Amino acid sequence: MERSGRSEDWGISSVFMKNKKRQSLLTYWTTRYLISLCIGLLLLGIGSFWWIRHTTIENRLNLLQYLAEETADRIAQSSGGNEFNAFDRRFDNRSHVLDMERPPLLIITDLKGNEIGRGGGRRPGNENRQGPFQLKLPARMISNSKSVQTLDADGKTLFAVKAPIKEDVQKGWVVVLQDEAELAKVNQEYRLLIILLVGLGLLGWLVIYFLSKKIVKPIQEVAIAASGIKDGQYDVKLNRDVKEQEIYDLVTSFEEMTQRLTQLEKLRAELLAGVTHDLKTPVTSISGLIQAVRDGIVTGEERQEFLDITLKEIGRLQTMIADLLDFNSLSAGAFTIHPETCNLNELIPIIIRERSVTQQSDIQCSVTVPDEPIYKKTDPLRLQQILINLLNNAAQAMNGKGSITVNVSEKGIDVADTGSGVPENEQPYIFERFFRGEKKKLKVRGLGLGLPFSRMLAKALGGNLVLKESSPNGSTFSMVWNRGGADS
């Protein structure tokens, strides 16, 4: 029941993932950028509105202070007659510079705060003073030393600016009142700010849209090409004329990958045919030889020769099958390593000597070891398999004539030959399973598993097998020990 429940949960999760709606890269990022841009501009707009309002109130309060002081000076310099109406008209004319819908209210008081007269504060076309301007000045405002104060009236906030009336001595006060809403009115600036923010938003969205579209285009081409590769279409051509380094790396790497896939697909078809042919040939030879012996077509010494050839073909077939089994076992991890501390100065010459004794050829094989013994913790049997494969490959590259040099050092083991070398176009594929060079496949039967098998063994022993160098004068393969390899 528990397993069934888990399967059901997995099925629901899979359906959810399949049904999850996905967006194109262009839509995804431009939408998120637009949202981020709008939020940023909104915060910027709120801050800008507050700053404009704050600075506007500050500037207009400074102008009110100037008007109050100018009016106080004119009153102090007057002849003492009742000229309040003249001051009121002059104050209204000067207050137009504030560019407000309703001019501020002017109040003149004595030293104790008793009102002597008031003027201004009238809306155009309305001579009646209405609303908060009907209030009576509180005594605390006159006694307070601050020149700018705030008052509450009818739920509104009023700013009061006062200036003393002085001649030789102070005679009274000039108080100018204006509500906060009138001081903060700057519709023109707000409209300009809104237009600016909207324009920045549209410009920013257009810029990121076209830039994203430019960036997304090569990625879309790669995605389309990848979809084509999934359907087996390896003929891919992408535009490399891009300025972004990361996108250029993506395009070039993808093209190289498709070229490699094309080559590997070609190799797969060739190798399948080659492996089939190599396995079929000894079977066909064995069948023909046995039938000839069975039917009495050959007799005497010739019959014995046919049987010897049959055994030789059977041995070759067994070798190829063993190679396949060993490679599959190694690929699946179904093999064992028996490490032991070995003196490479003694082990390597023994392996080379045994191989030279069993091979009848004109190839000269020499071993170079350092003066100081090199001890490594490794499996001598697996190491022998690697070296035998490398020596066999070297012998095949020299057609039975030449020399092989094995050099042992702390870094690894180098096997160098004087053969024809590995063609440059084949070097990236020599460690691919079933790969065989053009020259080799015509001369030597095999499955092309020697080098891949040897590399896997080398990695299992804590090292690696690489082609160190190759030229028409010969090749050098290296069994390299990893830095973290275990020494005794």
Side-chain angles (χ1 to χ4, degrees):
M1 293 296 292
E2 183 180 355
R3 183 178 297 177
S4 176
R6 290 180 180 177
S7 300
E8 184 178 351
D9 292 341
W10 175 255
I12 294 174
S13 177
S14 300
V15 172
F16 175 77
M17 291 300 292
K18 288 180 180 179
N19 292 336
K20 187 176 180 180
K21 188 176 180 180
R22 302 187 183 279
Q23 296 177 322
S24 68
L25 191 63
L26 182 62
T27 302
Y28 184 87
W29 284 113
T30 52
T31 302
R32 276 152 182 76
Y33 175 80
L34 182 60
I35 294 173
S36 302
L37 181 64
C38 290
I39 293 174
L41 290 177
L42 178 62
L43 295 176
L44 180 62
I46 292 173
S48 300
F49 274 104
W50 177 86
W51 179 252
I52 291 174
R53 186 177 187 277
H54 175 75
T55 53
T56 300
I57 291 176
E58 288 291 329
N59 292 334
R60 285 179 171 173
L61 286 176
N62 291 333
L63 289 175
L64 289 181
Q65 183 73 36
Y66 168 76
L67 287 177
E69 291 175 356
E70 183 190 35
T71 303
D73 289 342
R74 289 185 178 277
I75 293 175
Q77 295 171 7
S78 65
S79 60
N82 186 8
E83 298 182 0
F84 181 79
N85 290 334
F87 294 139
D88 187 15
R89 288 192 300 272
R90 190 177 293 112
F91 179 82
D92 282 344
N93 292 334
R94 292 295 180 88
S95 63
H96 289 162
V97 74
L98 297 175
D99 191 24
M100 290 184 290
E101 183 179 348
R102 175 164 55 184
L105 175 65
L106 172 66
I107 300 177
I108 301 175
T109 69
D110 58 17
L111 285 175
K112 296 182 179 180
N114 298 318
E115 186 177 318
I116 298 175
R118 65 170 57 194
R122 295 180 290 273
R123 293 184 182 276
N126 187 355
E127 300 300 324
N128 297 320
R129 298 186 181 96
Q130 300 175 352
F133 284 174
Q134 294 178 345
L135 63 81
K136 183 179 179 182
L137 290 178
R140 66 175 177 80
M141 197 202 77
I142 299 299
S143 60
N144 196 312
S145 60
K146 293 182 178 180
S147 60
V148 179
Q149 302 175 45
T150 57
L151 304 173
D152 292 329
D154 296 339
K156 294 184 178 181
T157 300
L158 298 181
F159 280 90
V161 179
K162 66 179 184 178
I165 302 174
K166 291 182 179 180
E167 189 174 357
D168 293 330
V169 294
Q170 183 174 347
K171 298 180 179 180
W173 296 92
V174 171
V175 180
V176 179
L177 293 175
Q178 184 60 285
D179 63 50
E180 185 180 19
E182 287 290 339
L183 289 174
K185 281 184 179 179
V186 281
N187 296 331
Q188 184 66 22
E189 285 79 358
Y190 289 155
R191 283 194 294 268
L192 291 175
L193 179 61
I194 291 172
I195 293 172
L196 179 63
L197 292 176
V198 172
L200 285 175
L202 290 175
L203 179 62
W205 182 80
L206 288 174
V207 169
I208 196 62
Y209 176 81
F210 287 109
L211 289 178
S212 299
K213 192 172 182 181
K214 184 177 182 298
I215 294 175
V216 165
K217 185 177 179 181
I219 299 177
Q220 287 177 333
E221 292 177 353
V222 171
I224 294 172
S227 179
I229 291 176
K230 181 184 68 174
D231 297 331
Q233 301 174 3
Y234 298 107
D235 186 15
V236 175
K237 291 184 180 180
L238 298 174
N239 180 22
R240 292 194 178 192
D241 187 19
V242 291
K243 296 181 179 180
E244 298 82 0
Q245 182 63 45
E246 292 79 5
I247 296 180
Y248 177 79
D249 293 341
L250 172 65
V251 171
T252 53
S253 299
F254 190 85
E255 282 191 338
E256 292 173 1
M257 181 192 72
T258 55
Q259 292 172 3
R260 184 171 177 82
L261 285 174
T262 303
Q263 183 69 24
L264 291 177
E265 184 66 19
K266 180 181 178 182
L267 289 174
R268 184 186 67 83
E270 292 179 356
L271 295 174
L272 182 59
V275 170
T276 304
H277 176 267
D278 288 336
L279 290 175
K280 182 180 178 181
T281 299
V283 173
T284 303
S285 298
I286 292 170
S287 176
L289 292 169
I290 291 177
Q291 287 180 10
V293 173
R294 184 193 65 181
D295 297 340
I297 297 175
V298 292
T299 58
E301 293 183 0
E302 192 176 13
R303 178 177 180 274
Q304 185 63 37
E305 182 182 359
F306 271 43
L307 291 176
D308 292 339
I309 295 174
T310 300
L311 289 175
K312 186 177 180 180
E313 292 295 327
I314 290 174
R316 185 178 297 167
L317 183 61
Q318 288 175 335
T319 300
M320 287 191 286
I321 293 174
D323 287 345
L324 278 174
L325 292 175
D326 289 343
F327 187 82
N328 288 334
S329 298
L330 192 59
S331 299
F335 68 98
T336 55
I337 296 292
H338 300 286
E340 58 183 80
T341 302
C342 302
N343 184 350
L344 298 185
N345 292 35
E346 297 177 356
L347 177 61
I348 303 304
I350 293 174
I351 295 174
I352 303 304
R353 191 178 307 112
E354 290 178 353
R355 194 264 176 192
S356 298
V357 171
T358 58
Q359 299 292 326
Q360 299 297 326
S361 65
D362 296 331
I363 296 176
Q364 300 295 324
C365 192
S366 61
V367 182
T368 303
V369 296
D371 296 332
E372 294 293 329
I374 298 176
Y375 292 94
K376 288 289 181 181
K377 197 168 186 179
T378 185
D379 188 334
L381 179 61
R382 301 299 185 183
L383 183 58
Q384 181 179 10
Q385 287 180 279
I386 296 173
L387 291 176
I388 294 300
N389 281 333
L390 293 178
L391 293 172
N392 289 339
N393 281 348
Q396 292 167 5
M398 295 185 294
N399 296 323
K401 294 181 181 181
S403 62
I404 300 175
T405 303
V406 180
N407 182 45
V408 182
S409 66
E410 282 286 350
K411 294 182 179 180
I413 304 170
D414 292 345
V415 178
D417 61 63
T418 57
S420 58
V422 181
E424 187 175 353
N425 63 324
E426 295 181 1
Q427 291 180 14
Y429 309 105
I430 58 174
F431 291 104
E432 296 289 343
R433 60 190 69 184
F434 302 113
F435 176 79
R436 299 171 66 198
E438 292 295 331
K439 296 180 180 179
K440 190 174 181 179
K441 69 174 62 175
L442 299 176
K443 297 178 181 179
V444 183
R445 287 185 181 178
L447 298 178
L449 293 176
L451 286 177
F453 181 71
S454 298
R455 171 173 274 190
M456 294 179 71
L457 281 177
K459 290 183 177 180
L461 294 178
N464 194 14
L465 181 63
V466 297
L467 176 62
K468 191 172 183 179
E469 59 181 353
S470 184
S471 70
N473 297 322
S475 301
T476 301
F477 285 87
S478 294
M479 164 67 183
V480 183
W481 305 110
N482 290 337
R483 290 185 177 181
D487 294 346
S488 62

